[in-house]
Amino acid sequence: MFKINDNYLKLPGSYLFSTIAKKVNAYSSAHPEAKIIRLGIGDVTQPIAPAIIEVLHGAVDEMANAETFHGYAPDLGYEFLRNTIAENDYRARGCNITPDEIFVSDGAKCDCGNIQEIFSIDNKIAVCDPVYPVYVDSNVMAGRTGTYDSKSETWSDVIYMPCTAENNFAPELPRETPDLIYLCFPNNPTGAVVNKEQLQEWVDYANRVGAVILFDAAYEAYISEPDIPHSIYECEGARSCAIEFHSFSKNAGFTGLRLGYTVIPKDLKADGVSLNALWARRHGTKYNGAPYIIQRAGEAVYSEAGKEQLKKQVAYYMNNAHYIFDNLKAAGYTVSGGVNSPYIWLKAPAGMTSWEFFDYLLENVNVVGTPGSGFGPSGETYFRLTAFGSYENTVEAVERMKGAIAHIG
């Protein structure tokens, strides 16, 4: 008789955004006339930039000719893309990262979830709380998190690092020593950031205790302040303790194209074993590479025209973020984020739980956000809004929410 991986049965409920989708679909079916504005899931709405579309068309045409046709991609990704990434995202920032330390994939979400496979099952993880659910759930599936306490909504073998208003939603060094530390800055969901000095403290700590930092930099394109690092490799010593994940989804709108990459420096070793080599082995065995046409589109992101057009897209979304932040704050909401991040983190009013506020907004003003408790226990009573909607919908959603708090009050 076959057996299943019963670690999957330990997962409480369904994936956060699947639960939200079911609730919204049920309401929409019952109220087909309602105009629902979705500021929940972090999906972009602006079309792919013209410079990238032009390259995509050219790459598609190449696939129609025997002389320029491309089949399987190289394990690490095409050299043209890895060289471009190394030059623009690292060498231009003073980071010593080489192309053979870059692994191209179909997105940061997959890599963030899969990276745990190269680590022993008895490693203990530390996560920010609240946290992007994939970090924890993928470790639950692997059997690394212990038992779940439904009352506290925590796992026995996970070290939670509370991110609250009192510490500006940035974690403090844990008292218990972890083996793997998940960090995400600019942060999803809170929109918080740390400066270079603060991030250096984490790098020094990881090197001191022998931990690995798994650094999610998916939102680095939204950084506007000068002392906020775009990469953990801007910190001294990071090559020996950090793995970094990048996405083309939020900076270039590739949520539907799927492209990302992971950096594992060759200096990062455990008992003399190279993590770069382990990930290369896993990558070559389980992954056939992002499509050629998508990797060519990724290369176009770094063209002069691509950079200029994408700056305007990022500015468009950040204009939405500033509008949400300023107007909800003026209306009486307690808000944070939205400065170096497309996410606004707000306190649910009138003592509501995060799911109570979700239901209230959906049913009364037809606005969808993300309940903070879905990101962890410290997210309770908080709520996440994204700036990835259209400007028109963003303005309308804010006006509706202003009316909501006036009514609740």
Side-chain angles (χ1 to χ4, degrees), residues 3 22 36 49 68 70 81 132 140 163 198 213 219 247 273 287 300 317 325 333 353 388 398-399 401 407:
K3 297 180 179 179
K22 290 177 182 176
I36 298 174
T68 53
H70 289 78
L81 179 56
Y132 180 46
V140 174
C163 299
Q198 291 172 301
I213 296 174
Y219 300 94
S247 168
V273 177
Y287 186 62
Y317 292 131
F325 184 99
Y333 287 93
T353 68
F388 288 122
V398 168
E399 289 305 307
M401 290 183 67
H407 181 74

Side-chain angles (χ1 to χ4, degrees), residues 182-222:
Y182 286 84
L183 295 179
C184 174
F185 294 109
N187 184 258
N188 177 17
T190 66
V193 291
V194 293
N195 61 32
K196 187 175 180 179
E197 182 180 354
Q198 291 172 301
L199 189 56
Q200 185 67 58
E201 290 181 8
W202 280 98
V203 170
D204 293 342
Y205 171 79
N207 278 319
R208 186 167 66 249
V209 302
V212 174
I213 296 174
L214 304 173
F215 189 79
D216 188 348
Y219 300 94
E220 63 83 17
Y222 293 85

Side-chain angles (χ1 to χ4, degrees), residues 18 27 37 40 97 100 102 110 126 148 154 159 171 189 214-215 240 264 271 278-279 298 333 350 382:
S18 298
Y27 181 85
I37 300 178
I97 296 297
D100 59 357
I102 296 169
C110 296
Y148 183 69
T154 59
I159 299 170
L214 304 173
F215 189 79
S240 60
I264 305 184
D271 295 325
L278 289 182
W279 186 245
Y333 287 93
Y382 282 90

Side-chain angles (χ1 to χ4, degrees), residues 331-353:
Y333 287 93
T334 301
V335 294
S336 59
V339 176
N340 297 287
S341 164
Y343 292 126
I344 288 81
W345 189 240
L346 62 94
K347 187 81 170 174
M352 287 182 170
T353 68

Side-chain angles (χ1 to χ4, degrees), residues 16-333:
L16 171 62
F17 296 104
S18 298
T19 301
I20 291 172
K22 290 177 182 176
K23 278 180 166 281
V24 174
N25 290 338
Y27 181 85
S28 184
S29 296
H31 304 85
E33 76 290 348
K35 179 188 175 182
I36 298 174
I37 300 178
R38 302 168 190 255
L39 299 181
I41 192 168
D43 196 2
V44 295
T45 54
Q46 293 295 293
I48 301 295
I52 299 171
I53 289 294
E54 182 180 353
V55 171
L56 268 173
H57 280 297
V60 169
D61 290 340
E62 286 185 57
M63 302 297 277
N65 296 290
E67 295 79 9
T68 53
F69 173 80
H70 289 78
Y72 289 127
D75 285 354
L76 302 185
Y78 285 100
E79 285 190 16
F80 64 76
L81 179 56
R82 291 186 290 114
N83 289 336
T84 301
I85 291 170
E87 179 60 38
N88 287 270
D89 287 346
Y90 294 101
R91 284 196 283 267
R93 292 175 177 146
C95 304
N96 181 26
I97 296 297
T98 58
D100 59 357
E101 295 173 323
I102 296 169
F103 298 80
V104 176
S105 70
D106 58 358
K109 178 179 180 179
C110 296
D111 287 353
C112 287
N114 292 331
I115 195 68
Q116 51 82 24
E117 291 187 22
I118 66 173
F119 295 99
S120 169
I121 197 68
D122 57 3
N123 280 300
K124 178 158 281 193
I125 69 168
V127 298
C128 296
D129 173 30
V131 67
Y132 180 46
V134 170
Y135 307 154
V136 175
D137 287 1
S138 58
N139 280 281
V140 174
M141 294 170 180
R144 194 178 282 113
T145 55
T147 57
Y148 183 69
D149 183 343
S150 59
K151 186 174 182 180
S152 65
E153 297 184 329
T154 59
W155 295 90
S156 61
D157 292 343
V158 173
I159 299 170
Y160 291 89
M161 302 181 293
C163 299
T164 64
E166 288 68 33
N167 60 13
N168 293 318
F169 302 104
E172 299 170 359
L173 298 177
R175 296 179 181 178
E176 183 181 357
T177 303
D179 302 298
L180 306 176
I181 304 168
Y182 286 84
L183 295 179
C184 174
F185 294 109
N187 184 258
N188 177 17
T190 66
V193 291
V194 293
N195 61 32
K196 187 175 180 179
E197 182 180 354
Q198 291 172 301
L199 189 56
Q200 185 67 58
E201 290 181 8
W202 280 98
V203 170
D204 293 342
Y205 171 79
N207 278 319
R208 186 167 66 249
V209 302
V212 174
I213 296 174
L214 304 173
F215 189 79
D216 188 348
Y219 300 94
E220 63 83 17
Y222 293 85
I223 293 172
S224 61
E225 296 178 322
D227 191 36
I228 308 301
H230 290 252
S231 167
I232 196 169
Y233 301 116
E234 295 177 42
C235 296
E236 184 178 352
R239 283 184 55 87
S240 60
C241 70
I243 294 172
E244 185 166 279
F245 308 99
H246 273 257
S247 168
F248 286 78
S249 290
K250 305 306 192 295
N251 68 324
F254 279 32
T255 53
L257 295 182
R258 308 307 307 148
L259 189 67
Y261 67 86
T262 291
V263 177
I264 305 184
K266 292 184 178 179
D267 296 3
L268 185 50
K269 298 180 180 180
D271 295 325
V273 177
S274 166
L275 269 62
N276 179 288
L278 289 182
W279 186 245
R281 185 66 172 88
R282 193 262 177 206
H283 216 54
T285 299
K286 292 192 172 185
Y287 186 62
N288 267 340
Y292 169 77
I293 59 174
I294 305 301
Q295 293 198 45
R296 278 296 183 196
E299 183 187 30
V301 166
Y302 300 95
S303 67
E304 289 306 312
K307 289 178 181 178
E308 191 62 31
Q309 291 165 10
L310 292 179
K311 280 182 183 178
K312 293 179 181 178
Q313 284 198 358
V314 168
Y316 178 93
Y317 292 131
M318 288 309 296
N319 183 57
N320 288 349
H322 298 152
Y323 187 90
I324 297 170
F325 184 99
D326 293 342
N327 284 273
L328 291 187
K329 183 177 181 180
Y333 287 93

